[in-house]
Amino acid sequence: MKVTNQGDVSVYTIAGANTARPLPDWLARRRKRSLKSDPEYQNRIELLQDFEFEEASQCVRVSDDNDWVMSTGTYKPQFHVHYLPHLALSFARHTKSLNTTFLLLSSDYTKSLHLQSDRKLEFHTPAGCHYELRLPRYGRDLIYDRHATEALVPSVGLDSDGHGEVFRMNLEIGRFMKSFQIDVGADDGVETGLQGSIGVGGVNTAAIAENSHNLLAFGTSIGSVEFWDSRSKSRVAILGGQEGEITALDFSPTGLSLATGTSNGLIKLFDLRSPKPLLQKDHGPGFPIKNLIHMTTSSQEKKILSADKQMIKIWDELDGETWTSVEPLVDINFVTWCKNSGMILTANEGKPMHSFFIPQLGSAPRWCSFLDNMVEEMAEEVSTDQYDNFKFLTLPELKSLSLSHLIGKTNLLRPYMHGYFVASKLYEQARLIANPYAMDEERAKRIKEKVEKERASRIRGNKKVKVNQKLVDKLLKRQEKRARVDTKAGVLGDDRFNRLFEDEEFKIDENSREFQVLNPSTRVDPDTGATVASQGVQSSDESEDDASNTDESDDEVAPKSGAQKEMVMHVRTSNQGNSRPSKDTTLGSRAQKSGRISKARGDVVGERQVTFVPESRRKKSEEAPRPQAKDRRTDSRRSASGNVFRRM
């Protein structure tokens, strides 16, 4: 998915020639393994099934109920109907000739009127072509007056009275009515025919204020706009003095203003109560304006969309400042807007039809509401390159790359606006020469950004208080184990416990009996006041020292007692006589003594020594106490009666 930025407005290309390489299904299946790692192919979006034509598309419109899209194209001449809730092609139908433009007469696709390039009008229903009729001259545009049920077809050429004509086909009666006669100038050509000479005038376009006063406007080839009342069938006013031919017209939703587009790319905004334009804007490239659409953004801002064959611009209705623009890779034939949304569809010369989504213009239509969440995730990085083989650089950037001496001397630098287009190969070579370590710097920068991102995602809990700071740290440490730190949760955020962390009278006394009972695994050092492990928690060094102290005390007590038990056994390891534990010294660094090993306890290395004093059995029996005589009355014996509970 491609994204372009014009200021603060992002435009996402959902479908079209600028999104991803079109690959057939059979090729995609064969290259499935290699395409798995291709980001361009993986990020593709097929918004609508078969939203394309074999060669080019001519016109596209969305139904009033926003459930159907009808588009026409070639070759062969045909039109497609898509059902939007299913995002699928409903059906395709071929026609005898190329479709110039069409209208949806109903709120869905069931009734449509098509203007053909061979001077025909065709009425289509779901069953097929319902009826067709032939026009006297070639039509240029097509609009529908719902109040009078008349199809109006502006045409080229002059009638018998020397006026241009707008044919009126009454769909209720089923016949032509008297045409509107429009002043399009005289035919000064020599050779005339059915249409007149090559330079004959005509009525190029038409517009109707359908939602307001229902006034009709017709733009001519001589630069004038005529307004007609559909009720009295008479001319109301003429707006003249325009430069070039009028090629596009559009009424505002209120019907009080009219936007006109000319063949030389000028756009003017008129108030119907004044012949002077409120605003004049140059579209830029100088091509004829094809479409004008009044739009309202999600923030209720008034915008106007204008399109020629090269680009689409959306600009402010009040001051004419360009809001955003879109420039596809192929020529544009028609533009339509999905009302009350940010979706724009175009018919163009390329094979796929284009779809653009502007989130700031409005949310996605309900049939593709998933785009609101997808566009930011799947959008590629914004690129400043205008072309694949050229890169735009300003003059300071050229000087930093030592390329300023090439200005005006080679075709590799092409001036454009406030900078130059530089060939991509030359730019890469110059950048590598100017900074050979650019790759390493970029890699280090990305690693740093990744580390900072991971560091910011870590959970940290820190809160400073006046009293009982250890208690606060202990509570926050418990929260970190649960992967959820909140300094205002539980006791820390309860107002009833504020004095526990502010008032000195509530300071926890770790020397008290109550604290030691509740925390038996900790003890307080009386000299330093620090809390250290005790009783249940001891280090390995402390346990070894305690064991050695116990052994030494046993050695001292044994000879003084005089009375020996049956067996006095002492177990001693080889490292207890040393000043340092064995874990602090390596096996090779221990003292090795030559000669015979002494039997003394301190000289034993690498073994254990056991000593005991045996005693005779006679002495044991003499010193043992004699058993006392048993009393038969109290002696427990088995009862003959079997009553177990008698003596209980």
Side-chain angles (χ1 to χ4, degrees):
M1 183 187 299
K2 301 292 183 181
V3 56
T4 57
N5 282 3
Q6 293 290 336
D8 297 334
V9 182
S10 299
V11 180
Y12 296 91
T13 304
I14 307 300
N18 198 21
T19 52
R21 300 188 303 272
L23 293 177
D25 294 338
W26 60 270
L27 183 58
R29 287 192 297 268
R30 288 179 57 185
R31 297 179 54 192
K32 185 176 182 180
R33 181 171 299 178
S34 61
L35 292 174
K36 189 176 182 180
S37 59
D38 189 352
E40 183 180 358
Y41 183 78
Q42 294 296 329
N43 290 342
R44 74 193 189 282
I45 292 180
E46 188 177 2
L47 184 63
L48 292 174
Q49 176 197 4
D50 296 333
F51 195 57
E52 59 183 18
F53 288 89
E54 284 76 2
E55 184 176 345
S57 51
Q58 188 69 23
C59 185
V60 58
R61 294 185 187 273
V62 183
S63 62
D64 293 338
D65 58 3
N66 291 324
D67 285 341
W68 303 88
V69 168
M70 181 177 288
S71 55
T72 60
T74 188
Y75 180 80
K76 302 178 180 177
Q78 57 186 306
F79 65 87
H80 293 170
V81 176
H82 289 81
Y83 184 48
L84 296 180
H86 292 173
L87 301 177
L89 178 65
S90 179
F91 66 90
R93 184 176 298 165
H94 292 265
T95 57
K96 297 178 181 178
S97 58
L98 180 63
N99 191 300
T100 303
T101 185
F102 70 93
L103 290 175
L104 295 174
L105 303 180
S106 59
S107 59
D108 53 8
Y109 80 97
T110 53
K111 297 178 181 179
S112 58
L113 180 60
H114 299 258
L115 177 64
Q116 305 293 331
S117 60
D118 59 349
R119 293 194 293 126
K120 283 185 180 180
L121 273 178
E122 291 186 356
F123 298 87
H124 283 263
T125 62
C129 182
H130 179 71
Y131 188 75
E132 65 178 22
L133 57 91
R134 197 170 184 86
L135 298 172
R137 283 187 297 276
Y138 291 96
R140 293 288 183 88
D141 199 1
L142 180 64
I143 61 172
Y144 180 58
D145 185 3
R146 298 183 184 275
H147 295 278
T149 64
E150 290 182 353
L152 306 178
V153 185
S155 62
V156 62
L158 305 176
D159 61 0
S160 58
D161 297 333
H163 296 90
E165 283 187 292
V166 177
F167 298 113
R168 296 168 52 206
M169 177 64 190
N170 192 297
L171 303 184
E172 184 178 7
I173 302 176
R175 65 181 182 88
F176 283 104
M177 309 300 289
K178 184 180 179 181
S179 303
F180 291 145
Q181 293 184 338
I182 310 298
D183 185 10
V184 295
D187 186 4
D188 298 332
V190 179
E191 298 181 0
T192 60
L194 178 63
Q195 303 295 133
S197 64
I198 298 177
V200 68
V203 185
N204 295 331
T205 184
I208 182 172
E210 186 176 6
N211 298 324
S212 54
H213 45 66
N214 208 54
L215 196 65
L216 301 173
F218 302 104
T220 66
S221 58
I222 60 175
S224 63
V225 180
E226 294 192 8
F227 298 92
W228 286 69
D229 188 354
S230 60
R231 296 169 297 180
S232 62
K233 307 298 185 295
S234 61
R235 184 185 295 110
V236 177
I238 299 177
L239 179 64
Q242 304 296 316
E243 300 177 1
E245 301 181 7
I246 303 296
T247 57
L249 294 172
D250 187 63
F251 279 101
S252 65
T254 60
L256 297 179
S257 62
L258 175 71
T260 64
T262 62
S263 57
N264 53 11
L266 289 178
I267 304 169
K268 294 182 180 180
L269 187 63
F270 289 92
D271 191 327
L272 296 185
R273 296 163 290 187
S274 175
K276 295 183 178 180
L278 299 175
L279 180 67
Q280 180 173 340
K281 181 178 178 61
D282 188 356
H283 196 263
F287 299 111
I289 304 298
K290 291 182 175 293
N291 291 97
L292 289 171
I293 304 175
H294 283 78
M295 314 172 75
T296 303
T297 65
S298 57
S299 57
Q300 302 302 318
E301 297 180 1
K302 304 296 182 181
K303 306 293 181 182
I304 296 179
L305 181 146
S306 58
D308 57 13
K309 72 175 186 178
Q310 184 174 352
M311 67 168 52
I312 303 171
K313 281 188 177 182
I314 301 178
W315 41 280
D316 193 274
E317 185 178 350
L318 299 177
D319 53 9
E321 292 293 331
T322 301
W323 190 56
T324 187
S325 62
V326 183
E327 188 172 356
L329 298 179
V330 294
D331 291 344
I332 301 172
N333 291 329
F334 193 85
V335 179
T336 188
W337 173 49
C338 298
K339 294 183 179 179
N340 302 322
S341 70
M343 181 66 67
I344 296 175
L345 307 177
T346 66
N348 41 263
E349 289 298 323
K351 180 178 178 180
M353 302 176 68
H354 286 62
S355 303
F356 302 101
F357 178 55
I358 307 176
Q360 289 181 303
L361 179 61
S363 59
R366 67 174 185 267
W367 49 272
C368 59
S369 58
F370 54 86
L371 288 178
D372 290 329
N373 299 327
M374 290 181 60
V375 288
E376 296 183 0
E377 298 177 359
M378 299 187 63
E380 299 177 356
E381 295 181 0
V382 180
S383 176
T384 58
D385 298 343
Q386 297 292 334
Y387 303 96
D388 293 339
N389 55 344
F390 281 89
K391 182 177 179 61
F392 181 78
L393 297 177
T394 59
L395 184 58
E397 293 175 344
L398 281 176
K399 292 180 178 180
S400 64
L401 297 176
S402 302
L403 295 177
S404 58
H405 65 283
L406 298 178
I407 298 176
K409 298 180 181 179
T410 177
N411 293 331
L412 297 176
L413 270 66
R414 301 182 181 181
Y416 181 78
M417 295 181 67
H418 61 284
Y420 298 86
F421 279 112
V422 183
S424 298
K425 293 183 179 180
L426 177 61
Y427 169 73
E428 294 296 338
Q429 294 176 0
R431 188 179 66 168
L432 185 60
I433 294 174
N435 188 6
Y437 304 101
M439 186 66 68
D440 297 337
E441 293 177 357
E442 183 67 20
R443 182 175 179 272
K445 181 181 177 182
R446 292 189 179 184
I447 293 175
K448 184 178 179 181
E449 292 177 354
K450 186 177 181 180
V451 171
E452 291 294 336
K453 185 177 180 180
E454 293 179 355
R455 184 178 299 170
S457 63
R458 294 173 183 170
I459 301 174
R460 297 178 180 179
N462 189 10
K463 184 176 182 180
K464 300 297 182 181
V465 294
K466 297 180 181 179
V467 185
N468 299 327
Q469 181 66 41
K470 293 183 180 180
L471 177 60
V472 175
D473 296 340
K474 183 179 180 181
L475 295 175
L476 292 177
K477 190 173 182 180
R478 290 180 181 177
Q479 292 183 2
E480 288 183 4
K481 292 180 179 179
R482 297 193 297 267
R484 184 177 181 183
V485 177
D486 187 3
T487 57
K488 296 183 179 180
V491 178
L492 301 178
D494 198 337
D495 297 338
R496 297 174 296 176
F497 299 95
N498 288 342
R499 298 180 62 186
L500 179 62
F501 308 106
E502 297 176 358
D503 196 345
E504 291 289 342
E505 296 181 358
F506 290 90
K507 184 177 180 180
I508 298 175
D509 185 8
E510 297 182 353
N511 295 321
S512 63
R513 176 63 180 172
E514 291 79 2
F515 179 81
Q516 294 179 359
V517 171
L518 296 175
N519 301 272
S521 61
T522 59
R523 62 182 175 85
V524 180
D525 190 354
D527 298 333
T528 61
T531 303
V532 296
S534 67
Q535 297 181 9
V537 182
Q538 290 184 346
S539 62
S540 60
D541 297 338
E542 293 176 355
S543 61
E544 292 176 359
D545 295 341
D546 294 343
S548 62
N549 295 335
T550 304
D551 296 337
E552 292 176 359
S553 61
D554 294 341
D555 295 340
E556 296 176 356
V557 174
K560 294 180 181 179
S561 60
Q564 295 183 352
K565 300 179 182 180
E566 299 180 3
M567 183 182 295
V568 180
M569 181 181 293
H570 300 282
V571 179
R572 185 179 182 87
T573 58
S574 60
N575 64 341
Q576 287 179 353
N578 299 333
S579 60
R580 293 185 301 173
S582 61
K583 66 177 184 179
D584 296 334
T585 59
T586 60
L587 183 61
S589 63
R590 296 181 181 179
Q592 302 292 339
K593 297 183 179 180
S594 60
R596 187 178 178 181
I597 300 175
S598 175
K599 297 299 182 180
R601 278 182 279 172
D603 296 336
V604 177
V605 178
E607 62 182 10
R608 293 183 179 181
Q609 181 177 343
V610 179
T611 61
F612 60 93
V613 179
E615 294 182 358
S616 62
R617 296 182 180 179
R618 181 180 301 177
K619 190 175 181 180
K620 274 187 181 181
S621 60
E622 291 178 355
E623 294 180 357
R626 294 182 179 182
Q628 298 179 359
K630 297 182 180 179
D631 188 2
R632 291 186 178 183
R633 294 181 180 180
T634 61
D635 186 14
S636 59
R637 59 187 177 86
R638 185 172 182 181
S639 176
S641 63
N643 190 352
V644 183
F645 300 97
R646 175 176 295 179
R647 298 191 180 275
M648 293 182 62

